[in-house]
Amino acid sequence: MKNEMKNDEAVSPVIATILMVAITVVLAGVLYVWASELAGNQTEAGSLNQYKAEDHPTATTDGMTDNLMRLSFVNGPDDLTWSFLTITLFDEEDGKTYKCSPNGADCSVGEETADTVWSGDEVISIAEGGSTDICGSAGSGAEGASCEVKVSMQYKGKPIAGTSGIVAVA
């Protein structure tokens, strides 16, 4: 009689096993959905690099090929591929924008090593490309003449941190 009472009060081993398997399957499904959603929401990062812009130390005064500024990395852990890098100059006075690239027509980028990347320890220079006079009369040789341009950069469509403030060039 004692044996019968014990069986009446407990869940059968078969039902307990089925419940444990069902709970495990449901939890595994929930974790899979959560993990795949988390992995799917990852966006591609731009760059951890941080640049600084400064006046070019050897400004030229020959019309439409003036050296405008130098750019270097304050923090440069990544080499930036030129095909994914966008350098834009904004002329505060005229309200015009210029896309800069190596051997660009409007705005040219000069690098120490002519390759496909801007290395983290490399200094590049920005100059007028030869077909556009970005700084106008600033390059005419007048004493104290200057123009003000603002630089901004993006890598893979994401902004790169840096001194995008106004840089005056003579």
Side-chain angles (χ1 to χ4, degrees):
M1 181 111 148
K2 253 185 174 181
N3 223 1
E4 286 180 28
M5 276 186 160
K6 193 173 187 181
N7 285 340
D8 287 340
E9 295 175 5
V11 176
S12 77
V14 173
I15 293 175
T17 303
I18 291 172
L19 283 173
M20 286 178 27
V21 168
I23 289 171
T24 303
V25 168
V26 169
L27 282 175
V30 168
L31 286 174
Y32 173 77
V33 169
W34 175 73
S36 64
E37 179 70 25
L38 184 64
N41 285 339
Q42 297 297 319
T43 57
E44 189 173 332
S47 172
L48 298 175
N49 291 16
Q50 183 177 6
Y51 69 93
K52 74 174 181 176
E54 58 191 2
D55 289 344
H56 199 287
T58 56
T60 58
T61 58
D62 57 357
M64 294 192 291
T65 58
D66 294 331
N67 289 325
L68 302 176
M69 66 180 68
R70 291 170 24 119
L71 300 172
S72 60
F73 287 121
V74 176
N75 180 29
D78 303 325
D79 289 347
L80 305 183
T81 305
W82 285 112
S83 58
F84 297 119
L85 182 65
T86 304
I87 301 175
T88 306
L89 288 184
F90 179 71
D91 186 344
E92 294 274 317
E93 191 173 306
D94 296 340
K96 294 181 182 177
T97 59
Y98 304 94
K99 299 286 184 198
C100 302
S101 62
N103 301 318
D106 293 335
C107 179
S108 180
V109 176
E111 55 179 328
E112 294 171 347
T113 57
D115 54 10
T116 59
V117 297
W118 180 13
S119 302
D121 59 349
E122 189 175 19
V123 177
I124 63 172
S125 60
I126 304 292
E128 295 172 335
S131 66
T132 304
D133 193 5
I134 296 173
C135 281
S137 62
S140 65
E143 189 67 34
S146 67
C147 74
E148 294 180 344
V149 290
K150 186 176 181 181
V151 63
S152 68
M153 281 196 258
Q154 292 186 342
Y155 190 66
K156 296 183 179 179
K158 308 272 190 247
I160 300 175
T163 56
S164 61
I166 296 172
V167 177
V169 294

